[in-house]
Amino acid sequence: MTFGQGKIWYDGKFVDWKDANVHILAHVIHYGSSVFESLRCYKGDKRSAIFRLDAHIDRLYDSAKIYRMDMPFTKEEFTRAVIDTVKINKLQECYIRPFAFRGYGHMGVNPLKNPVNCAIAAWKWGAYLGEEALEKGVSVCVTSWRRPAPNTFPALAKAGGNYLNSQLIAMDAIEAGYEEGIALDYFGHVSEGSGENIFIVRNGVIYTPPTSASILAGITRHSVFVIARELGMRIEQHDIPREALYISDEVFFSGTAAEITPITMIDHIKVGDGAPGEITKKVRDAFYDIVRQKTEDKHGWLAYID
Ligand code: PMP
């Protein structure tokens, strides 16, 4: 199924894509009150499998907890519903969007009187930053928009409202001719892209900003830690000053949508020699070997679609 077709799981039942609607006075539309996840399902030689389903479900429920949303389904029910959504739509490779939102009932900022509705959609979605990006890398800028200061918007929650900040970052970069933007945090350290975590490589060591740098704790980011260590690489969380981006040997993004995307140019300055670096390529290849079932799933990261 492509975007716009098939069935959507909505509050426990499958409905046709065109019937998965909300009232225009639903709380979420006015106040950004939703929490969501992004997952990918990949096809191996024989079967398809969703990458890190359990970790995504855990993060969805963590995001809901931060915003005091009582989820009307158990994690087990939600997990099953994600798999069923892929199955019912006969998708072998897809992007999956489970979410929960404050629905219709009461107007006003206080969300607590509104129902919590849940839905899951899935569709085919290719490379997020373009097919060429994964091979050749992308050109990005450091945007003048900052990520939210601590104690403002909780960055660890993957909440709809946070993505107004991401939209400003992305629009600023794209309008200026770049493929993506990198934002600094409140203190001026490197934070992340509009929808990706960032890693730099210098003298053979991989560094990435800590969770205190107003980042989303990416599940691909965590996978990069595990993969890099298994490949015998050194990887650390560290505050990263902006100028470290310019003098890095390699820089790359990680994310469910962007997967592992090399960054080859930042603010018109070449990263290394301007081509995807060796460490980036090794991590990327090891990542694809896992998701496409070419190597053993040592960590139980794949949820097979039976
Ligand atoms: N940061 C932001 C702001 C994101 O939206 C995403 C995508 N979910 C990420 C980082 C990467 O997270 P993950 O690897 O879990 O997709």
Side-chain angles (χ1 to χ4, degrees), residues 125-290:
W125 199 357
Y128 181 65
L129 295 171
E131 285 299 334
E132 283 206 332
L134 298 171
E135 268 311 309
K136 294 196 176 154
V138 288
S139 167
V140 306
C141 67
V142 176
T143 164
S144 55
W145 291 104
R146 294 274 175 101
R147 294 278 303 159
N151 215 11
T152 61
F153 291 89
L156 294 182
K158 192 167 169 61
N162 287 4
Y163 286 79
L164 286 171
N165 174 260
S166 291
Q167 289 174 45
L168 291 170
I169 296 166
M171 288 188 290
D172 194 36
I174 289 161
E175 293 283 301
Y178 301 95
E179 275 136 315
E180 177 59 297
I182 298 168
L184 306 180
D185 71 7
Y186 175 74
F187 301 102
H189 298 128
V190 173
S191 176
E192 61 178 353
S194 72
E196 309 86 9
N197 293 114
I198 189 164
F199 294 80
I200 66 170
V201 182
R202 189 163 156 91
N203 297 330
V205 182
I206 310 175
Y207 302 94
T208 195
T211 44
S212 54
S214 193
I215 64 164
L216 180 74
I219 290 162
T220 321
R221 175 182 180 274
H222 175 262
S223 310
V224 168
F225 268 85
V226 175
I227 290 169
R229 287 190 175 137
E230 277 173 3
L231 291 171
M233 298 169 179
R234 222 172 106 196
I235 179 161
E236 292 176 11
Q237 302 188 61
H238 219 285
D239 283 339
I240 298 178
R242 173 177 181 163
E243 64 275 21
L245 296 171
Y246 305 139
I247 56 172
S248 295
D249 304 319
E250 305 180 24
V251 184
F252 63 90
F253 279 137
S254 77
T256 298
E259 300 172 308
I260 309 286
T261 301
I263 298 172
T264 47
M265 185 92 90
I266 303 174
D267 294 338
H268 294 301
I269 300 175
K270 260 190 208 170
V271 175
D273 61 5
E278 288 312 309
I279 290 184
T280 306
K281 286 196 277 188
K282 278 188 192 147
V283 171
R284 180 193 62 192
D285 294 349
F287 169 82
Y288 283 117
D289 282 351
I290 296 172

Side-chain angles (χ1 to χ4, degrees), residues 50 53 78-88 303-305:
I50 300 172
L53 175 55
F78 223 101
T79 303
R80 188 69 238 168
V82 170
I83 295 174
D84 288 346
T85 305
V86 175
K87 271 170 84 172
I88 201 167
Y304 293 97
I305 307 295

